[in-house]
Amino acid sequence: MSGADNDRQFCWEQIQRGNRLFRLTHVFAAGDVAGRLLPLYALFASLEHICASVSDEDVAVRKLDWWRQAMRSGDGDHPVIAELRRNGASALMPEMAVTRLLDATQARLDMAPPPGSSELTALCIDFGRIQLELELAVSGVTMPAGEELSGLALRSGMMQVLRESMGRPDGRGFWWLPLDLMARYDLARAEIASGDGIGKFRMVAGEIFTTQSVGTTQYSDISKDISDDKQSVMNLIAMDALFAKKLKHTNYSSYIKWRDELSRAGFSDVFTARNAVRRFNRRK
């Protein structure tokens, strides 16, 4: 295998341990866009892995600092950096968006729990918009300003914190559970890790997903708010539908089932993605 082939293989391996749904959705992107999205999603997966799996915060911060320097210089030999540079993705990624991505990842290492569900929603929208801006940038699409794409950003951000939670089953990964709901159901984070509070945990999670309208695919988010070539966002349409499906299936379930659901990309998911794209095309 050539160096480029090895780099792409490495990127796929990172994605496989992170957001496996990309294997299903990248096929809806144009060839050059799909090539640029591959290392971008590998970057997302690499940063999520640091946030989820590195128990020593100082070590995690040093790893993120390495990524800051590598992304700033753009001339390293790391497979993700090399692939971003090779296919032109790095040149399309706004420097401030990359900085916000790394800042948000570092913030989640020791972020205070949100007081309530509305604060959790705001956090998830912020996390999701950062990734969306980069996804759209490498796709050649301008990120809308203001509150546009908030539904898509919410689901994207919620999936980020869920994936990171699965890497930290000791309870630390569930920092994002709102304090008011924890108090209402008398749930302690230690009970999540031990499994003693599974019933209370399911009620808290159910309220989050139900009251925040997570799991409701709003295709108008994209179709009305992006004026560029709609073909450039077909992969996002597919991904959003899959996010909605996964979040719906985690409703009122245990985090053990979350792990199973989020790590799976099966045949039914293929049909979900395809049907979402077909419905979107009919709406254009």
Side-chain angles (χ1 to χ4, degrees), residues 143-215:
M143 180 74 176
E147 299 301 317
E148 291 86 348
L149 302 182
S150 60
L152 177 55
L154 170 60
R155 290 182 285 278
S156 177
M158 190 77 251
M159 288 291 286
Q160 286 180 56
V161 298
L162 288 181
R163 287 193 298 266
E164 291 172 359
S165 297
M166 296 305 95
R168 304 172 70 177
D170 58 356
R172 292 178 304 149
F174 294 93
W175 63 266
W176 49 271
L177 292 175
L179 293 176
D180 61 346
L181 292 181
M182 298 276 287
R184 184 184 308 168
Y185 291 99
D186 191 26
L187 174 65
R189 283 179 174 77
E191 293 179 295
I192 300 175
S194 67
D196 294 337
I198 194 65
K200 292 182 286 186
F201 174 81
R202 290 172 64 180
M203 296 303 295
V204 170
E207 281 212 27
I208 292 170
F209 295 134
T210 300
T211 60
Q212 301 308 310
S213 300
V214 174

Coordinates of all heavy atoms in Angstrom, one line a residue, residues 143-215:
M143 N -21.8 28.3 5.8 CA -22.5 28.0 7.1 C -23.5 29.2 7.3 O -23.1 30.4 7.4 CB -21.6 27.9 8.3 CG -22.3 27.7 9.6 SD -22.9 26.0 9.7 CE -23.6 26.0 11.4
P144 N -24.8 28.9 7.4 CA -25.8 30.0 7.7 C -25.5 30.7 9.0 O -25.0 30.0 10.0 CB -27.1 29.3 7.7 CG -26.9 28.0 6.9 CD -25.5 27.6 7.2
A145 N -25.8 31.9 9.1 CA -25.6 32.6 10.4 C -26.9 32.5 11.3 O -27.9 32.0 10.8 CB -25.3 34.1 10.2
G146 N -26.8 32.9 12.5 CA -28.0 32.9 13.4 C -28.4 31.5 13.8 O -27.5 30.7 14.1
E147 N -29.7 31.3 14.0 CA -30.2 30.1 14.6 C -30.5 29.0 13.6 O -31.1 27.9 13.9 CB -31.5 30.4 15.3 CG -31.4 31.4 16.4 CD -30.4 30.9 17.5 OE1 -30.4 29.7 17.8 OE2 -29.5 31.7 17.9
E148 N -30.1 29.2 12.3 CA -30.4 28.2 11.3 C -29.7 26.9 11.6 O -28.6 26.9 12.3 CB -30.0 28.7 9.9 CG -30.8 29.8 9.3 CD -30.3 31.2 9.7 OE1 -29.5 31.2 10.7 OE2 -30.8 32.2 9.2
L149 N -30.2 25.8 11.2 CA -29.7 24.5 11.4 C -29.6 24.1 12.9 O -28.9 23.1 13.3 CB -28.3 24.4 10.8 CG -28.2 24.6 9.3 CD1 -26.7 24.5 8.9 CD2 -29.1 23.8 8.5
S150 N -30.4 24.7 13.8 CA -30.3 24.4 15.2 C -30.8 23.0 15.5 O -30.2 22.4 16.4 CB -31.1 25.4 16.0 OG -32.5 25.4 15.6
G151 N -31.8 22.5 14.8 CA -32.2 21.1 15.0 C -31.2 20.1 14.7 O -30.9 19.2 15.4
L152 N -30.5 20.3 13.5 CA -29.4 19.4 13.1 C -28.3 19.5 14.1 O -27.7 18.5 14.5 CB -29.0 19.7 11.7 CG -27.8 19.0 11.1 CD1 -28.1 17.5 11.2 CD2 -27.6 19.4 9.7
A153 N -27.9 20.7 14.5 CA -26.8 21.0 15.4 C -27.1 20.3 16.8 O -26.2 19.7 17.4 CB -26.6 22.4 15.6
L154 N -28.4 20.4 17.2 CA -28.7 19.8 18.5 C -28.5 18.3 18.5 O -27.9 17.7 19.4 CB -30.2 20.1 18.8 CG -30.8 19.3 20.0 CD1 -30.1 19.6 21.3 CD2 -32.3 19.6 20.1
R155 N -29.0 17.6 17.4 CA -28.8 16.2 17.3 C -27.3 15.8 17.2 O -26.8 14.8 17.8 CB -29.6 15.6 16.2 CG -31.1 15.7 16.5 CD -31.9 15.1 15.3 NE -32.0 16.0 14.2 CZ -32.9 17.0 14.1 NH1 -33.7 17.3 15.1 NH2 -32.9 17.7 13.0
S156 N -26.6 16.6 16.4 CA -25.1 16.3 16.2 C -24.4 16.4 17.6 O -23.6 15.6 17.9 CB -24.6 17.3 15.2 OG -23.2 17.1 15.1
G157 N -24.7 17.5 18.3 CA -24.0 17.7 19.6 C -24.4 16.7 20.6 O -23.6 16.2 21.4
M158 N -25.7 16.3 20.6 CA -26.2 15.3 21.5 C -25.5 13.9 21.3 O -25.1 13.2 22.2 CB -27.7 15.1 21.4 CG -28.3 14.2 22.5 SD -28.5 15.1 24.1 CE -27.3 14.3 25.1
M159 N -25.3 13.6 20.0 CA -24.6 12.4 19.7 C -23.1 12.4 20.1 O -22.6 11.4 20.5 CB -24.7 12.1 18.2 CG -26.1 11.7 17.7 SD -26.6 10.0 18.3 CE -25.5 9.0 17.2
Q160 N -22.5 13.6 20.0 CA -21.1 13.7 20.5 C -21.0 13.4 22.0 O -20.2 12.6 22.3 CB -20.6 15.2 20.3 CG -20.3 15.5 18.9 CD -19.8 17.0 18.8 OE1 -18.9 17.3 19.5 NE2 -20.5 17.8 18.0
V161 N -21.9 13.9 22.8 CA -21.7 13.7 24.2 C -22.1 12.2 24.6 O -21.5 11.6 25.5 CB -22.6 14.7 25.1 CG1 -22.1 16.1 24.9 CG2 -24.0 14.6 24.8
L162 N -23.0 11.7 23.8 CA -23.4 10.3 24.1 C -22.2 9.3 23.7 O -21.9 8.4 24.4 CB -24.6 9.9 23.2 CG -26.0 10.4 23.7 CD1 -27.1 9.9 22.8 CD2 -26.2 10.1 25.1
R163 N -21.6 9.6 22.6 CA -20.5 8.7 22.2 C -19.3 8.8 23.2 O -18.7 7.8 23.6 CB -19.9 9.1 20.8 CG -20.8 8.7 19.6 CD -20.1 8.8 18.3 NE -19.8 10.2 18.0 CZ -20.5 11.1 17.3 NH1 -21.7 10.7 16.8 NH2 -20.1 12.3 17.0
E164 N -19.1 10.0 23.7 CA -18.0 10.2 24.7 C -18.4 9.6 26.0 O -17.6 9.0 26.7 CB -17.8 11.7 24.9 CG -17.1 12.3 23.7 CD -16.9 13.8 23.8 OE1 -17.4 14.4 24.8 OE2 -16.4 14.4 22.8
S165 N -19.7 9.6 26.3 CA -20.2 8.9 27.6 C -19.9 7.4 27.5 O -19.6 6.8 28.6 CB -21.7 9.1 27.7 OG -22.0 10.5 27.9
M166 N -20.0 6.8 26.3 CA -19.8 5.4 26.2 C -18.4 5.0 26.5 O -18.1 3.8 26.9 CB -20.2 4.9 24.8 CG -21.7 5.0 24.5 SD -22.8 4.3 25.7 CE -23.2 5.6 26.8
G167 N -17.5 5.9 26.4 CA -16.1 5.6 26.7 C -15.7 5.8 28.1 O -14.6 5.5 28.6
R168 N -16.7 6.3 28.9 CA -16.4 6.6 30.3 C -17.6 6.1 31.2 O -18.3 6.9 31.8 CB -16.2 8.1 30.5 CG -15.2 8.7 29.7 CD -15.1 10.2 29.8 NE -14.6 10.7 31.1 CZ -14.5 12.0 31.4 NH1 -14.7 12.9 30.5 NH2 -14.0 12.3 32.6
P169 N -17.8 4.8 31.2 CA -18.9 4.2 31.9 C -18.8 4.3 33.4 O -19.7 3.8 34.1 CB -18.8 2.7 31.5 CG -17.4 2.5 31.2 CD -16.9 3.7 30.6
D170 N -17.8 4.9 34.0 CA -17.7 5.1 35.4 C -18.6 6.2 36.0 O -18.6 6.5 37.1 CB -16.2 5.4 35.8 CG -15.7 6.6 35.1 OD1 -16.4 7.2 34.3 OD2 -14.5 7.0 35.4
G171 N -19.3 6.8 35.1 CA -20.2 7.9 35.5 C -19.7 9.3 35.1 O -20.5 10.2 35.0
R172 N -18.4 9.5 35.0 CA -17.8 10.8 34.7 C -18.3 11.3 33.3 O -18.4 12.4 33.1 CB -16.3 10.7 34.7 CG -15.7 10.5 36.1 CD -14.2 10.5 36.0 NE -13.8 9.4 35.1 CZ -12.7 9.4 34.4 NH1 -11.9 10.5 34.5 NH2 -12.4 8.4 33.6
G173 N -18.5 10.3 32.4 CA -19.0 10.7 31.1 C -20.4 11.3 31.0 O -20.7 11.9 30.0
F174 N -21.1 11.1 32.1 CA -22.5 11.6 32.1 C -22.6 13.0 32.8 O -23.6 13.3 33.5 CB -23.4 10.6 32.8 CG -23.5 9.3 32.0 CD1 -22.7 8.2 32.2 CD2 -24.4 9.2 30.9 CE1 -22.8 7.1 31.5 CE2 -24.5 8.0 30.2 CZ -23.7 7.0 30.4
W175 N -21.5 13.8 32.7 CA -21.5 15.1 33.3 C -22.7 15.9 32.8 O -23.1 16.9 33.5 CB -20.2 15.8 33.0 CG -20.0 16.0 31.5 CD1 -19.3 15.2 30.7 CD2 -20.5 17.1 30.7 NE1 -19.4 15.7 29.4 CE2 -20.1 16.8 29.4 CE3 -21.2 18.2 31.0 CZ2 -20.4 17.7 28.3 CZ3 -21.5 19.1 30.0 CH2 -21.1 18.8 28.7
W176 N -23.2 15.6 31.6 CA -24.1 16.5 30.9 C -25.6 16.3 31.4 O -26.5 17.0 31.0 CB -24.1 16.2 29.4 CG -24.1 14.8 29.1 CD1 -23.1 13.9 28.9 CD2 -25.3 14.0 28.8 NE1 -23.5 12.6 28.6 CE2 -24.9 12.7 28.6 CE3 -26.7 14.3 28.8 CZ2 -25.8 11.6 28.3 CZ3 -27.6 13.2 28.5 CH2 -27.1 11.9 28.3
L177 N -25.8 15.3 32.3 CA -27.2 15.1 32.8 C -27.6 16.4 33.6 O -26.9 16.7 34.5 CB -27.3 13.9 33.6 CG -27.1 12.5 32.9 CD1 -27.1 11.4 33.9 CD2 -28.2 12.3 31.8
P178 N -28.7 17.0 33.3 CA -29.1 18.2 34.0 C -29.3 18.0 35.5 O -29.9 17.0 35.9 CB -30.4 18.6 33.3 CG -30.3 18.0 31.9 CD -29.6 16.7 32.2
L179 N -28.8 19.0 36.3 CA -28.9 18.9 37.7 C -30.4 18.8 38.2 O -30.7 18.1 39.2 CB -28.2 20.0 38.4 CG -26.7 20.1 38.2 CD1 -26.1 21.3 38.8 CD2 -26.0 18.8 38.8
D180 N -31.3 19.6 37.5 CA -32.6 19.6 38.0 C -33.3 18.2 37.8 O -34.1 17.8 38.7 CB -33.5 20.7 37.3 CG -33.6 20.5 35.8 OD1 -32.8 19.7 35.3 OD2 -34.4 21.2 35.2
L181 N -33.0 17.5 36.7 CA -33.6 16.2 36.5 C -32.9 15.2 37.5 O -33.6 14.2 38.0 CB -33.4 15.8 35.1 CG -34.2 16.5 34.1 CD1 -34.0 16.0 32.7 CD2 -35.7 16.5 34.4
M182 N -31.6 15.3 37.7 CA -31.0 14.4 38.7 C -31.6 14.5 40.0 O -31.8 13.5 40.7 CB -29.5 14.8 38.7 CG -28.7 14.6 37.4 SD -28.1 12.9 37.2 CE -26.8 12.8 38.3
A183 N -31.9 15.8 40.5 CA -32.5 16.0 41.8 C -33.9 15.5 41.8 O -34.4 14.9 42.8 CB -32.5 17.5 42.1
R184 N -34.7 15.7 40.7 CA -36.1 15.3 40.7 C -36.2 13.8 40.8 O -37.1 13.3 41.5 CB -36.7 15.7 39.3 CG -38.2 15.4 39.2 CD -38.7 15.8 37.9 NE -38.4 17.1 37.5 CZ -38.6 17.6 36.3 NH1 -39.0 16.9 35.3 NH2 -38.2 18.9 36.0
Y185 N -35.3 13.0 40.2 CA -35.4 11.6 40.3 C -34.4 11.0 41.3 O -34.2 9.8 41.4 CB -35.1 11.0 38.9 CG -36.3 11.3 38.0 CD1 -36.2 12.3 37.0 CD2 -37.4 10.5 38.0 CE1 -37.2 12.6 36.2 CE2 -38.5 10.8 37.1 CZ -38.3 11.8 36.2 OH -39.4 12.1 35.3
D186 N -33.8 11.8 42.1 CA -32.9 11.4 43.2 C -31.8 10.5 42.6 O -31.5 9.4 43.2 CB -33.7 10.7 44.3 CG -32.8 10.5 45.5 OD1 -31.8 11.2 45.7 OD2 -33.1 9.5 46.3
L187 N -31.2 10.9 41.5 CA -30.2 10.0 40.9 C -28.8 10.6 41.1 O -28.5 11.8 40.9 CB -30.5 10.0 39.3 CG -29.4 9.3 38.5 CD1 -29.4 7.8 38.8 CD2 -29.7 9.5 37.0
A188 N -27.9 9.8 41.5 CA -26.5 10.1 41.7 C -25.7 9.5 40.6 O -26.0 8.4 40.1 CB -25.9 9.7 43.0
R189 N -24.6 10.2 40.1 CA -23.8 9.6 39.0 C -23.1 8.3 39.4 O -22.9 7.5 38.5 CB -22.7 10.7 38.6 CG -23.4 11.8 37.7 CD -22.4 12.8 37.3 NE -23.0 13.7 36.4 CZ -23.8 14.7 36.7 NH1 -24.1 14.9 38.0 NH2 -24.4 15.5 35.8
A190 N -22.8 8.1 40.7 CA -22.3 6.8 41.1 C -23.2 5.7 40.8 O -22.8 4.5 40.6 CB -21.9 6.9 42.6
E191 N -24.5 6.0 40.9 CA -25.5 4.9 40.6 C -25.5 4.5 39.1 O -25.9 3.4 38.8 CB -26.9 5.4 41.0 CG -27.1 5.6 42.5 CD -28.5 6.1 42.8 OE1 -28.8 7.2 42.4 OE2 -29.2 5.4 43.5
I192 N -25.1 5.4 38.3 CA -25.1 5.1 36.8 C -24.0 4.1 36.6 O -24.2 3.1 35.9 CB -24.8 6.4 36.0 CG1 -25.9 7.4 36.2 CG2 -24.7 6.0 34.5 CD1 -25.7 8.7 35.5
A193 N -22.8 4.3 37.2 CA -21.7 3.4 37.0 C -22.0 2.0 37.6 O -21.7 1.0 37.0 CB -20.4 3.9 37.6
S194 N -22.6 2.0 38.8 CA -22.9 0.7 39.5 C -24.1 0.0 38.9 O -24.2 -1.2 39.0 CB -23.1 1.0 40.9 OG -24.3 1.7 41.1
G195 N -25.0 0.7 38.2 CA -26.2 0.1 37.7 C -27.3 0.1 38.7 O -28.5 -0.3 38.3
D196 N -27.1 0.6 39.9 CA -28.1 0.6 40.9 C -29.3 1.6 40.6 O -30.4 1.4 41.0 CB -27.6 1.0 42.3 CG -26.6 -0.1 42.8 OD1 -26.7 -1.2 42.3 OD2 -25.7 0.3 43.6
G197 N -28.9 2.6 39.8 CA -30.0 3.6 39.5 C -30.5 3.5 38.1 O -30.9 4.5 37.5
I198 N -30.5 2.3 37.5 CA -30.9 2.2 36.1 C -32.3 2.7 35.8 O -32.5 3.3 34.8 CB -30.7 0.7 35.6 CG1 -30.7 0.7 34.1 CG2 -31.7 -0.2 36.3 CD1 -29.6 1.4 33.4
G199 N -33.2 2.4 36.7 CA -34.6 2.8 36.5 C -34.7 4.4 36.5 O -35.3 5.0 35.6
K200 N -34.1 5.0 37.5 CA -34.1 6.4 37.6 C -33.4 7.1 36.4 O -33.8 8.1 35.8 CB -33.4 6.9 38.9 CG -34.3 6.5 40.1 CD -33.6 7.0 41.4 CE -32.4 6.2 41.8 NZ -31.9 6.6 43.1
F201 N -32.2 6.4 36.0 CA -31.5 7.0 34.9 C -32.3 6.9 33.6 O -32.3 7.9 32.8 CB -30.2 6.1 34.6 CG -29.4 6.5 33.4 CD1 -28.6 7.5 33.4 CD2 -29.6 5.7 32.3 CE1 -27.8 7.9 32.3 CE2 -28.9 6.0 31.1 CZ -28.0 7.1 31.1
R202 N -33.1 5.9 33.4 CA -33.9 5.8 32.2 C -35.0 6.9 32.2 O -35.3 7.5 31.1 CB -34.6 4.4 32.1 CG -33.6 3.3 31.8 CD -34.3 1.9 32.0 NE -35.3 1.8 31.0 CZ -36.1 0.6 30.9 NH1 -35.9 -0.4 31.7 NH2 -37.0 0.5 30.0
M203 N -35.5 7.3 33.3 CA -36.5 8.3 33.4 C -35.9 9.7 33.0 O -36.4 10.5 32.3 CB -37.2 8.4 34.7 CG -38.0 7.1 35.1 SD -39.3 6.7 33.8 CE -40.3 8.1 34.1
V204 N -34.7 9.9 33.6 CA -34.0 11.2 33.3 C -33.7 11.3 31.8 O -33.9 12.3 31.2 CB -32.7 11.3 34.1 CG1 -31.8 12.4 33.7 CG2 -33.0 11.4 35.6
A205 N -33.1 10.2 31.2 CA -32.8 10.2 29.8 C -34.0 10.4 29.0 O -34.0 11.1 28.0 CB -32.0 8.9 29.5
G206 N -35.1 9.7 29.3 CA -36.3 9.8 28.6 C -36.8 11.3 28.5 O -37.3 11.7 27.5
E207 N -36.8 11.9 29.7 CA -37.2 13.3 29.7 C -36.4 14.2 28.8 O -36.9 15.1 28.1 CB -37.2 13.9 31.1 CG -38.4 13.4 31.9 CD -38.8 14.5 33.0 OE1 -38.6 15.7 32.7 OE2 -39.4 14.1 34.0
I208 N -35.1 14.0 28.8 CA -34.2 14.8 28.0 C -34.6 14.7 26.5 O -34.7 15.6 25.8 CB -32.7 14.4 28.2 CG1 -32.3 14.8 29.6 CG2 -31.8 15.1 27.2 CD1 -30.9 14.2 30.0
F209 N -34.7 13.4 26.0 CA -34.9 13.2 24.6 C -36.3 13.6 24.2 O -36.5 14.0 23.1 CB -34.7 11.7 24.3 CG -33.2 11.3 24.5 CD1 -32.9 10.1 25.1 CD2 -32.2 12.1 24.0 CE1 -31.6 9.8 25.3 CE2 -30.9 11.8 24.2 CZ -30.6 10.6 24.8
T210 N -37.3 13.5 25.1 CA -38.6 13.8 24.8 C -38.9 15.3 24.8 O -39.4 15.9 23.8 CB -39.6 13.2 25.7 OG1 -39.5 11.8 25.7 CG2 -41.1 13.6 25.4
T211 N -38.4 16.0 25.8 CA -38.7 17.4 26.0 C -37.9 18.3 25.1 O -38.3 19.4 24.7 CB -38.5 17.9 27.4 OG1 -37.1 17.7 27.8 CG2 -39.4 17.1 28.4
Q212 N -36.7 17.8 24.6 CA -35.9 18.6 23.8 C -36.1 18.3 22.3 O -35.3 18.8 21.5 CB -34.4 18.4 24.2 CG -34.1 18.8 25.6 CD -34.6 20.2 25.9 OE1 -34.3 21.1 25.2 NE2 -35.3 20.3 27.0
S213 N -37.1 17.5 22.0 CA -37.4 17.2 20.6 C -36.2 16.6 19.8 O -36.1 16.7 18.6 CB -37.8 18.5 19.8 OG -39.0 19.0 20.4
V214 N -35.3 16.0 20.6 CA -34.3 15.2 19.9 C -34.9 14.0 19.3 O -35.7 13.3 20.0 CB -33.2 14.8 21.0 CG1 -32.1 13.9 20.3 CG2 -32.5 16.0 21.5
G215 N -34.5 13.7 18.1 CA -35.1 12.5 17.4 C -36.2 12.9 16.5 O -36.8 12.0 15.9

